[in-house]
Structures are given as structure tokens and as C-alpha cells.
Amino acid sequence: RWRRSQYTGAPFRELSDVAYAATHFERIAGRYELDGCTLDIEPDGSFRNYGPDHEMVGQATVAGVVPFRDIPGSSLEGVPEDMQVRCCMKVDRWYTRTVIDGEELSPEDLGFVGPGYQCFSVHAWLEPVGDIAGRDGAFMENRPGPTMEMGWELVENALAEPWARSLKWHDLVRLREETAAKSRTHLQQQ
């Protein structure tokens, strides 16, 4: 859902930025972990954020690119020294299901989404500086908001702590297949 009216980059760069944005979720797909939460992002932008007390499922799309010149210093303070911002995207997100403490919540209950469970945020993709063995990418995101103005604003709503990628997409698929095979074997043995 590219929002051309929101594009603030140089006109000759727009095609390149659109092409990069189109592959954003394929590039970052995998499993992320932060503070007891797990986030699985699929190559199509669908996601599942879950932990002991919550499960949030939905779909994300890239709406635009934030040029590096427009990222305030306050949003870059949390970037680890051995990583660099590779790109920064404006993201539209729709939640399709949200359960907290066993109760399904409405958009009104969440507070950070608007009509149709939609919210907006800014997502920065980080990559290691140089060739660091074993170091994978991560992302930083600001607090989602119910409107574009609230969610895409970075001065008062800076990017937060990085989510480290613990499994790349192909490793997550392999883990899911192995888990399903073990489950089938266990059921057959019963």
C-alpha cells in the first residue's frame, strides 16, 4: 500500500525506494525476540506477536520510506554500535485478532489502533557493520498510533529498543516442519 502522497524523497529515487519497499518483508522475515515476547514475521508481511499472556495476529504493509535526513537523532540513540540503519519505512498494520490474558480485545480496548484494527508505525531495519560472524539483522520500531500523524512521527515518538532476529525465515520454516513431524509421530505412537 505505497502512499505516493506521503513520499518526501527525491523524485528520481522513488522507483528505487518502491522496489526496495516491495521486498522489505521478504528481507526481514523470521523470528524476533524481546523481553519475553516472540514475533514471527512472514515474507508477505503477516505477523504473530505472542508471549505467555498475549497473542496479536495481523498484516503489515509498507506505505513509504523515511529518508535518512528525516530520522531525528533521538530515534538513532538506541542503534547498537556494531549495527547500522539500512532502511526506515512507514508501516500500515491491521490486527485481525488480539487476545490478552485470555480475552479477545476490540480496537477500542487496545487504544493504539483506529477503525478496523489499523495502526501506523515507523520501522527501521538494522544490519551489522562489517562482517561480524553470527550477527544477524534486527529492527527498531516506534510506538504504533491510531493515525498516520501519531504513528509516523519520530520526534516525540522515537524508535525503541531493537528486536534481534533469532531465526531467519528458512530456519523458522525448518523449525515449524520439524515440530509438525514430531507432533505427527507422537500422535501415531499413541
Side-chain angles (χ1 to χ4, degrees):
R1 286 193 19 118
W2 187 258
R3 294 176 185 259
R4 189 160 197 223
S5 63
Q6 296 290 319
Y7 189 73
T8 60
F12 65 89
R13 294 260 331 141
E14 186 173 14
L15 183 57
S16 172
D17 287 344
V18 169
Y20 192 83
T23 61
H24 181 66
F25 290 110
E26 291 174 25
R27 185 178 308 102
I28 70 163
R31 174 166 287 168
Y32 296 81
E33 298 181 57
L34 179 67
D35 297 335
C37 291
T38 302
L39 173 63
D40 292 345
I41 299 175
E42 308 264 340
D44 66 358
S46 59
F47 63 89
R48 178 177 173 239
N49 178 334
Y50 56 99
D53 302 323
H54 75 285
E55 179 181 41
M56 303 171 90
V57 179
Q59 179 70 43
T61 62
V62 173
V65 173
V66 178
F68 287 108
R69 70 174 185 275
D70 293 344
I71 304 172
S74 60
S75 280
L76 300 175
E77 291 173 0
V79 176
E81 287 183 22
D82 62 345
M83 300 197 88
Q84 62 187 349
V85 176
R86 175 66 176 94
C87 64
C88 194
M89 306 284 182
K90 294 177 179 177
V91 175
D92 289 337
R93 240 186 345 214
W94 290 265
Y95 287 92
T96 54
R97 183 170 181 257
T98 301
V99 177
I100 297 178
D101 294 326
E103 182 180 335
E104 190 155 355
L105 302 180
S106 70
E108 296 78 24
D109 295 329
L110 289 176
F112 63 88
V113 299
Y117 264 142
Q118 185 177 13
C119 65
F120 306 87
S121 62
V122 175
H123 178 145
W125 175 243
L126 309 177
E127 291 180 350
V129 175
D131 188 22
I132 301 172
R135 182 73 165 176
D136 194 8
F139 77 87
M140 296 170 70
E141 188 171 38
N142 67 345
R143 188 177 57 255
T147 65
M148 285 185 277
E149 295 76 22
M150 293 173 73
W152 292 345
E153 196 281 321
L154 285 172
V155 174
E156 298 293 323
N157 187 9
L159 297 170
E161 182 179 354
W163 287 68
R165 181 162 59 182
S166 57
L167 291 172
K168 290 186 177 181
W169 176 247
H170 62 275
D171 295 324
L172 180 56
V173 169
R174 186 177 21 233
L175 175 66
R176 288 175 176 171
E177 289 169 352
E178 290 170 3
T179 302
K182 286 178 185 176
S183 237
R184 283 190 301 273
T185 302
H186 178 72
L187 287 173
Q188 290 170 351
Q189 292 173 349
Q190 288 183 350

Coordinates of all heavy atoms in Angstrom, one line a residue, residues 67-124:
P67 N 13.3 9.1 4.5 CA 14.6 9.4 4.1 C 15.5 9.6 5.4 O 15.1 10.0 6.4 CB 14.5 10.7 3.4 CG 13.1 10.8 2.9 CD 12.3 10.1 4.0
F68 N 16.8 9.2 5.2 CA 17.7 9.2 6.4 C 17.8 10.6 7.0 O 17.9 10.8 8.2 CB 19.1 8.7 6.0 CG 19.2 7.2 5.8 CD1 19.3 6.7 4.6 CD2 19.1 6.4 6.9 CE1 19.3 5.3 4.4 CE2 19.1 5.0 6.8 CZ 19.2 4.5 5.5
R69 N 17.7 11.7 6.1 CA 17.8 13.0 6.6 C 16.6 13.4 7.5 O 16.7 14.3 8.3 CB 17.9 14.0 5.4 CG 16.6 14.1 4.7 CD 16.6 15.2 3.6 NE 15.3 15.3 3.0 CZ 14.8 14.5 2.0 NH1 15.6 13.6 1.4 NH2 13.6 14.7 1.5
D70 N 15.5 12.6 7.4 CA 14.3 12.9 8.2 C 14.3 12.1 9.5 O 13.3 12.2 10.3 CB 13.1 12.7 7.4 CG 12.9 13.6 6.3 OD1 13.6 14.7 6.3 OD2 12.1 13.4 5.3
I71 N 15.3 11.3 9.8 CA 15.3 10.5 11.0 C 16.0 11.3 12.1 O 17.2 11.6 12.0 CB 16.0 9.1 10.9 CG1 15.4 8.3 9.7 CG2 16.0 8.3 12.2 CD1 16.2 7.1 9.3
P72 N 15.2 11.7 13.1 CA 15.9 12.6 14.2 C 16.9 11.8 15.0 O 16.8 10.5 15.1 CB 14.7 13.0 15.1 CG 13.6 12.0 14.8 CD 13.8 11.5 13.4
G73 N 17.9 12.4 15.5 CA 18.9 11.8 16.3 C 18.4 11.0 17.5 O 18.9 10.0 17.8
S74 N 17.2 11.4 18.1 CA 16.7 10.7 19.2 C 16.2 9.3 18.8 O 16.2 8.4 19.6 CB 15.4 11.5 19.8 OG 14.5 11.7 18.8
S75 N 15.9 9.1 17.5 CA 15.5 7.8 17.1 C 16.7 6.9 16.8 O 16.5 5.7 16.6 CB 14.6 7.9 15.8 OG 13.3 8.2 16.2
L76 N 17.9 7.5 16.7 CA 19.1 6.7 16.4 C 19.9 6.3 17.6 O 20.8 5.6 17.5 CB 19.9 7.4 15.4 CG 19.2 7.7 14.0 CD1 20.1 8.6 13.2 CD2 18.9 6.4 13.3
E77 N 19.5 6.9 18.8 CA 20.3 6.7 20.0 C 20.3 5.2 20.4 O 21.3 4.8 21.0 CB 19.7 7.5 21.1 CG 19.9 9.0 21.0 CD 19.2 9.8 22.0 OE1 18.5 9.3 22.9 OE2 19.3 11.0 21.9
G78 N 19.3 4.4 20.1 CA 19.3 3.0 20.5 C 19.9 2.0 19.5 O 19.9 0.8 19.8
V79 N 20.5 2.6 18.4 CA 21.1 1.7 17.4 C 22.4 1.2 18.0 O 23.3 1.9 18.4 CB 21.4 2.4 16.1 CG1 22.2 1.5 15.1 CG2 20.1 2.9 15.5
P80 N 22.6 -0.2 18.2 CA 23.8 -0.7 18.7 C 25.1 -0.2 17.9 O 24.9 -0.1 16.7 CB 23.7 -2.2 18.6 CG 22.2 -2.4 18.6 CD 21.6 -1.2 17.8
E81 N 26.2 -0.1 18.5 CA 27.4 0.4 17.9 C 27.9 -0.5 16.7 O 28.5 0.0 15.8 CB 28.6 0.5 18.9 CG 28.4 1.7 19.8 CD 29.6 1.8 20.7 OE1 30.7 1.3 20.4 OE2 29.4 2.5 21.8
D82 N 27.6 -1.8 16.8 CA 28.0 -2.7 15.7 C 27.0 -2.9 14.6 O 27.0 -3.8 13.8 CB 28.4 -4.0 16.3 CG 27.3 -4.8 17.0 OD1 26.3 -4.1 17.3 OD2 27.4 -6.0 17.3
M83 N 25.9 -2.0 14.6 CA 24.9 -2.1 13.6 C 24.6 -0.7 13.0 O 25.0 0.3 13.5 CB 23.6 -2.6 14.2 CG 23.8 -4.0 14.8 SD 22.2 -4.8 15.1 CE 22.0 -5.6 13.5
Q84 N 24.0 -0.8 11.8 CA 23.7 0.5 11.1 C 22.2 0.4 10.5 O 21.8 -0.7 10.2 CB 24.6 0.8 10.0 CG 24.7 -0.3 8.9 CD 25.8 -0.1 7.9 OE1 26.4 0.9 7.9 NE2 26.0 -1.1 7.1
V85 N 21.6 1.5 10.4 CA 20.2 1.6 9.8 C 20.4 1.4 8.3 O 21.1 2.1 7.7 CB 19.5 2.9 10.1 CG1 18.2 2.9 9.4 CG2 19.3 3.1 11.6
R86 N 19.8 0.4 7.8 CA 19.8 0.1 6.4 C 18.7 0.8 5.6 O 18.8 1.2 4.5 CB 19.7 -1.4 6.1 CG 19.7 -1.8 4.7 CD 21.0 -1.5 3.9 NE 20.9 -2.0 2.6 CZ 20.5 -1.3 1.5 NH1 20.1 0.0 1.7 NH2 20.5 -1.8 0.3
C87 N 17.5 0.8 6.3 CA 16.3 1.5 5.7 C 15.3 1.8 6.8 O 15.4 1.2 7.9 CB 15.7 0.6 4.6 SG 14.9 -0.9 5.3
C88 N 14.5 2.7 6.5 CA 13.5 3.2 7.5 C 12.1 3.3 6.8 O 12.1 4.1 5.8 CB 13.9 4.5 8.2 SG 13.0 4.9 9.7
M89 N 11.1 2.6 7.2 CA 9.9 2.5 6.5 C 8.7 3.0 7.3 O 8.6 2.7 8.5 CB 9.6 1.1 6.0 CG 10.7 0.4 5.3 SD 10.7 1.0 3.6 CE 12.0 0.0 2.9
K90 N 7.7 3.6 6.6 CA 6.4 3.9 7.3 C 5.6 2.6 7.0 O 5.5 2.1 5.9 CB 5.7 5.1 6.6 CG 6.5 6.4 6.8 CD 5.8 7.5 6.1 CE 6.5 8.8 6.3 NZ 5.9 9.9 5.5
V91 N 5.0 2.1 8.1 CA 4.2 0.9 8.0 C 2.8 1.1 8.4 O 2.5 1.8 9.4 CB 4.9 -0.2 9.0 CG1 4.1 -1.5 9.1 CG2 6.3 -0.5 8.6
D92 N 1.9 0.5 7.6 CA 0.5 0.3 8.0 C 0.3 -1.1 8.5 O 0.9 -2.0 8.0 CB -0.4 0.4 6.7 CG -0.5 1.7 6.1 OD1 -0.3 2.7 6.7 OD2 -0.8 1.7 4.9
R93 N -0.5 -1.2 9.6 CA -0.7 -2.5 10.2 C -2.2 -2.7 10.5 O -2.8 -1.8 11.0 CB 0.1 -2.6 11.5 CG 1.1 -3.7 11.5 CD 1.8 -3.9 12.8 NE 1.7 -2.9 13.8 CZ 2.6 -2.6 14.6 NH1 3.8 -3.2 14.6 NH2 2.5 -1.6 15.5
W94 N -2.7 -3.9 10.3 CA -4.0 -4.3 10.7 C -4.0 -5.5 11.5 O -3.4 -6.5 11.2 CB -4.9 -4.6 9.4 CG -5.2 -3.4 8.6 CD1 -6.3 -2.6 8.6 CD2 -4.3 -2.9 7.6 NE1 -6.2 -1.7 7.7 CE2 -5.0 -1.8 7.0 CE3 -3.1 -3.2 7.1 CZ2 -4.5 -1.0 6.0 CZ3 -2.6 -2.4 6.0 CH2 -3.3 -1.3 5.5
Y95 N -4.6 -5.4 12.7 CA -4.7 -6.6 13.6 C -6.0 -7.3 13.2 O -7.0 -6.7 12.9 CB -4.7 -6.2 15.0 CG -3.4 -5.7 15.5 CD1 -3.0 -4.4 15.5 CD2 -2.5 -6.6 16.0 CE1 -1.8 -4.0 15.9 CE2 -1.2 -6.2 16.4 CZ -0.9 -4.9 16.4 OH 0.4 -4.5 16.8
T96 N -5.9 -8.6 13.1 CA -7.0 -9.5 12.8 C -7.5 -10.2 14.0 O -8.7 -10.6 14.1 CB -6.7 -10.5 11.7 OG1 -5.6 -11.3 12.1 CG2 -6.4 -9.8 10.4
R97 N -6.6 -10.3 15.0 CA -7.0 -11.0 16.3 C -6.1 -10.5 17.4 O -4.9 -10.6 17.2 CB -7.0 -12.5 16.1 CG -7.4 -13.3 17.3 CD -7.6 -14.8 16.9 NE -8.0 -15.5 18.1 CZ -7.2 -16.2 18.8 NH1 -5.9 -16.3 18.5 NH2 -7.7 -16.8 19.9
T98 N -6.6 -10.1 18.5 CA -5.8 -9.8 19.6 C -6.4 -10.4 20.9 O -7.5 -10.1 21.2 CB -5.7 -8.2 19.8 OG1 -5.2 -7.7 18.6 CG2 -4.9 -7.8 21.0
V99 N -5.6 -11.2 21.6 CA -6.0 -11.8 22.8 C -5.0 -11.5 23.9 O -3.8 -11.7 23.7 CB -6.1 -13.4 22.7 CG1 -6.5 -14.0 24.0 CG2 -7.2 -13.7 21.6
I100 N -5.5 -10.9 25.0 CA -4.6 -10.6 26.1 C -5.3 -11.2 27.4 O -6.5 -11.0 27.6 CB -4.4 -9.1 26.3 CG1 -3.6 -8.6 25.0 CG2 -3.6 -8.8 27.5 CD1 -3.4 -7.1 25.0
D101 N -4.5 -11.9 28.1 CA -5.0 -12.6 29.4 C -6.2 -13.4 29.1 O -7.2 -13.4 29.8 CB -5.3 -11.6 30.5 CG -4.0 -10.9 31.0 OD1 -2.9 -11.6 31.0 OD2 -4.0 -9.7 31.3
G102 N -6.3 -14.1 27.9 CA -7.4 -15.0 27.6 C -8.6 -14.3 27.0 O -9.6 -15.0 26.7
E103 N -8.6 -13.0 26.9 CA -9.8 -12.3 26.5 C -9.5 -11.6 25.1 O -8.5 -10.9 25.0 CB -10.1 -11.2 27.5 CG -11.3 -10.4 27.1 CD -11.7 -9.3 28.2 OE1 -11.3 -9.5 29.4 OE2 -12.3 -8.3 27.8
E104 N -10.4 -11.8 24.1 CA -10.2 -11.2 22.8 C -10.6 -9.7 23.0 O -11.7 -9.4 23.5 CB -11.1 -11.8 21.8 CG -10.8 -11.3 20.4 CD -11.1 -12.3 19.3 OE1 -11.5 -13.5 19.6 OE2 -10.9 -11.9 18.1
L105 N -9.8 -8.8 22.5 CA -10.0 -7.4 22.6 C -10.4 -6.7 21.4 O -10.1 -7.1 20.3 CB -8.7 -6.7 23.1 CG -8.1 -7.2 24.4 CD1 -6.8 -6.5 24.7 CD2 -9.0 -7.1 25.5
S106 N -11.2 -5.7 21.5 CA -11.7 -4.9 20.4 C -10.7 -3.8 20.1 O -9.8 -3.5 21.0 CB -13.1 -4.3 20.7 OG -12.9 -3.3 21.7
P107 N -10.8 -3.1 19.0 CA -9.9 -2.0 18.7 C -9.9 -0.9 19.8 O -8.9 -0.4 20.2 CB -10.4 -1.4 17.4 CG -11.1 -2.6 16.7 CD -11.7 -3.4 17.8
E108 N -11.1 -0.7 20.3 CA -11.3 0.3 21.4 C -10.5 0.0 22.6 O -10.0 0.8 23.3 CB -12.7 0.6 21.7 CG -13.6 1.2 20.6 CD -13.9 0.1 19.5 OE1 -14.0 -1.1 19.8 OE2 -14.2 0.6 18.3
D109 N -10.5 -1.4 22.9 CA -9.8 -1.8 24.1 C -8.3 -1.6 24.0 O -7.6 -1.4 25.0 CB -10.0 -3.3 24.3 CG -11.5 -3.7 24.6 OD1 -12.2 -2.8 25.2 OD2 -11.9 -4.8 24.3
L110 N -7.7 -1.7 22.8 CA -6.3 -1.6 22.6 C -5.8 -0.2 22.8 O -4.7 0.0 23.3 CB -5.9 -2.1 21.2 CG -6.0 -3.6 21.1 CD1 -5.6 -4.0 19.6 CD2 -5.0 -4.3 22.0
G111 N -6.5 0.8 22.3 CA -6.1 2.2 22.4 C -5.1 2.7 21.4 O -5.1 3.9 21.1
F112 N -4.2 1.9 20.8 CA -3.2 2.4 19.8 C -3.7 2.1 18.4 O -2.9 2.3 17.5 CB -1.9 1.8 20.1 CG -1.8 0.3 20.0 CD1 -1.5 -0.3 18.8 CD2 -1.9 -0.5 21.1 CE1 -1.4 -1.7 18.7 CE2 -1.8 -1.9 21.0 CZ -1.6 -2.5 19.8
V113 N -4.9 1.5 18.2 CA -5.4 1.3 16.8 C -6.6 2.1 16.6 O -7.3 2.5 17.5 CB -5.7 -0.2 16.6 CG1 -4.4 -1.1 16.8 CG2 -6.8 -0.7 17.5
G114 N -6.9 2.3 15.3 CA -8.0 3.1 14.9 C -9.1 2.1 14.4 O -9.1 0.9 14.6
P115 N -10.0 2.7 13.6 CA -11.1 1.8 13.0 C -10.5 0.7 12.2 O -9.4 0.8 11.5 CB -11.8 2.8 12.1 CG -11.5 4.2 12.6 CD -10.1 4.1 13.2
G116 N -11.1 -0.5 12.3 CA -10.7 -1.7 11.5 C -9.4 -2.3 12.1 O -8.7 -3.0 11.3
Y117 N -9.1 -2.0 13.3 CA -7.8 -2.5 14.0 C -6.6 -2.0 13.3 O -5.5 -2.6 13.3 CB -7.8 -4.0 13.9 CG -8.3 -4.8 15.1 CD1 -9.0 -6.0 14.9 CD2 -8.0 -4.4 16.4 CE1 -9.4 -6.8 16.0 CE2 -8.4 -5.2 17.5 CZ -9.1 -6.4 17.2 OH -9.5 -7.1 18.3
Q118 N -6.6 -0.9 12.6 CA -5.5 -0.3 11.8 C -4.6 0.6 12.7 O -5.2 1.3 13.5 CB -5.9 0.5 10.6 CG -4.7 0.9 9.7 CD -5.2 1.6 8.5 OE1 -6.3 2.0 8.3 NE2 -4.2 1.8 7.6
C119 N -3.3 0.5 12.5 CA -2.4 1.4 13.2 C -1.2 1.7 12.3 O -1.1 1.1 11.3 CB -1.9 0.8 14.6 SG -0.9 -0.6 14.5
F120 N -0.4 2.7 12.7 CA 0.7 3.1 11.9 C 1.9 3.2 12.8 O 1.8 3.5 14.0 CB 0.4 4.5 11.4 CG -0.9 4.6 10.6 CD1 -2.1 4.8 11.3 CD2 -1.0 4.4 9.2 CE1 -3.3 4.8 10.6 CE2 -2.2 4.4 8.5 CZ -3.3 4.6 9.2
S121 N 3.1 2.9 12.2 CA 4.3 3.0 12.9 C 5.5 3.2 11.9 O 5.3 3.1 10.7 CB 4.6 1.8 13.8 OG 4.7 0.6 13.0
V122 N 6.7 3.4 12.5 CA 7.9 3.5 11.7 C 8.8 2.4 12.1 O 9.0 2.1 13.2 CB 8.6 4.9 11.9 CG1 9.9 4.9 11.1 CG2 7.7 6.0 11.4
H123 N 9.3 1.7 11.1 CA 10.1 0.5 11.2 C 11.5 0.7 10.6 O 11.6 1.0 9.4 CB 9.4 -0.6 10.5 CG 10.0 -1.9 10.5 ND1 9.3 -3.1 10.6 CD2 11.3 -2.3 10.5 CE1 10.1 -4.1 10.6 NE2 11.3 -3.7 10.5
A124 N 12.6 0.6 11.4 CA 13.9 0.7 10.8 C 14.6 -0.7 10.8 O 14.6 -1.4 11.9 CB 14.7 1.7 11.7

